[in-house]
Amino acid sequence: MSIAQLDNSYEFPHPTNALAEPNGLLAFGGDLSAERLQVAYYEGIFPWYSPDEPPLWWSPDPRAVLIPGELHTGRTLRRFIRKHSYQITVNYAFDDVIYNCAQRQEGTWIVPDVQKGYQTLHKEGLAHSIEVWYGHQLVGGLYGVCVGTLFCGESMFSKMENASKCAFVAFYYHFLRHGGQLFDCQVLNHHTESLGAKNIPRDKFLQHLYQLRRQSLQSGCWSVQRLDL
């Protein structure tokens, strides 16, 4: 089976047309405009590719998610959180967060065009960041895209112990307080699995998406603010 090449219409094939190997590869080409990114996330699709490749678009099966009530914070992390001296904010330094995510070895796919697309999404109120500060220094954070009451996590970084985990834990409770329903972790890895993420079938994820994308968070979720941890 071949994969589709995107044109200028911003239309994607249905996620069930994605390849089984490599798992979830659905289409290639197109641009990283805010309009295309918005359509992609609305349909359960995300970009990921190497700097020497055209944009590749994915919808893997299974899909990694974190379900409310299933966050796992082990004893060591809970002890760290009780003693922490981090300060955590929302949407205070989006550009700095995505830049730092791109500097990680695993973040080499976050090329300038990718950064620009998500920065535009942020200006339109669709992409968001969580920042972790040690004094005046940005030491960790994460960013992603909100679709209704679903948050699609994209990348995170950490320059000090447990900084990205603290960012996620603080954001987890903040998101739920404002009506959030599900966290999309895309592909399961050691970091997200340690926080309680698990795989579910893609069709089940899409069922959640189609329901949650029609819902709205309570006001104030994405205003610039400090979070408690």
Side-chain angles (χ1 to χ4, degrees):
M1 180 185 295
S2 61
I3 61 172
Q5 180 174 6
L6 302 183
D7 55 25
N8 295 325
S9 67
Y10 298 154
E11 293 184 3
F12 286 88
H14 192 273
T16 54
N17 291 321
L19 299 181
E21 184 60 40
N23 180 18
L25 182 57
L26 178 66
F28 72 96
D31 56 22
L32 272 293
S33 66
E35 292 82 2
R36 191 182 298 275
L37 287 170
Q38 184 175 357
V39 171
Y41 281 95
Y42 194 76
E43 298 298 337
I45 301 162
F46 60 87
W48 186 86
Y49 59 99
S50 299
D52 57 345
E53 297 175 331
L56 301 177
W57 301 88
W58 304 78
S59 185
D61 186 15
R63 187 79 165 224
V65 299
L66 178 61
I67 297 171
E70 297 189 4
L71 175 69
H72 175 72
T73 54
R75 183 180 305 172
T76 301
L77 180 58
R78 291 196 299 270
R79 185 183 306 118
F80 180 90
I81 289 173
R82 287 196 298 269
K83 298 179 178 179
H84 83 97
S85 55
Y86 294 150
Q87 306 212 346
I88 301 175
T89 55
V90 176
N91 280 337
Y92 190 85
F94 183 91
D95 290 357
D96 292 331
V97 168
I98 195 171
Y99 172 81
N100 278 278
C101 287
Q103 305 313 302
R104 300 169 58 241
Q105 182 177 357
E106 299 88 347
T108 53
W109 70 276
I110 310 175
V111 296
D113 283 349
V114 172
Q115 294 183 47
K116 183 178 179 181
Y118 285 100
Q119 286 166 345
T120 303
L121 274 187
H122 173 64
K123 292 175 183 176
E124 295 180 358
L126 299 174
H128 308 281
S129 61
I130 311 299
E131 303 87 18
V132 181
W133 306 89
Y134 183 71
H136 297 291
Q137 182 182 4
L138 181 65
V139 297
L142 63 91
Y143 78 95
V145 177
C146 192
V147 183
T149 55
L150 167 69
F151 185 80
C152 307
E154 273 302 317
S155 186
M156 56 178 60
F157 79 98
S158 187
K159 293 184 176 181
M160 292 183 67
E161 184 181 6
N162 288 325
S164 61
K165 287 187 176 181
C166 286
F168 185 81
V169 171
F171 169 63
Y172 171 88
Y173 290 109
H174 173 76
F175 189 61
L176 296 188
R177 283 194 300 269
H178 286 81
Q181 298 291 316
L182 189 66
F183 299 87
D184 172 24
C185 302
Q186 298 179 346
V187 178
L188 198 65
N189 58 38
H190 175 74
H191 190 73
T192 55
E193 188 173 21
S194 72
L195 291 168
K198 66 181 182 182
N199 281 327
I200 63 172
R202 179 176 54 212
D203 59 356
K204 186 174 181 180
F205 169 77
L206 293 174
Q207 290 173 13
H208 287 305
L209 170 67
Y210 298 154
Q211 177 183 5
L212 299 180
R213 70 187 185 183
R214 299 194 300 266
Q215 301 178 8
S216 299
L217 295 171
Q218 297 173 14
S219 62
C221 184
W222 301 120
S223 58
V224 177
Q225 60 193 288
R226 179 176 170 179
L227 298 185
D228 295 325
L229 182 60

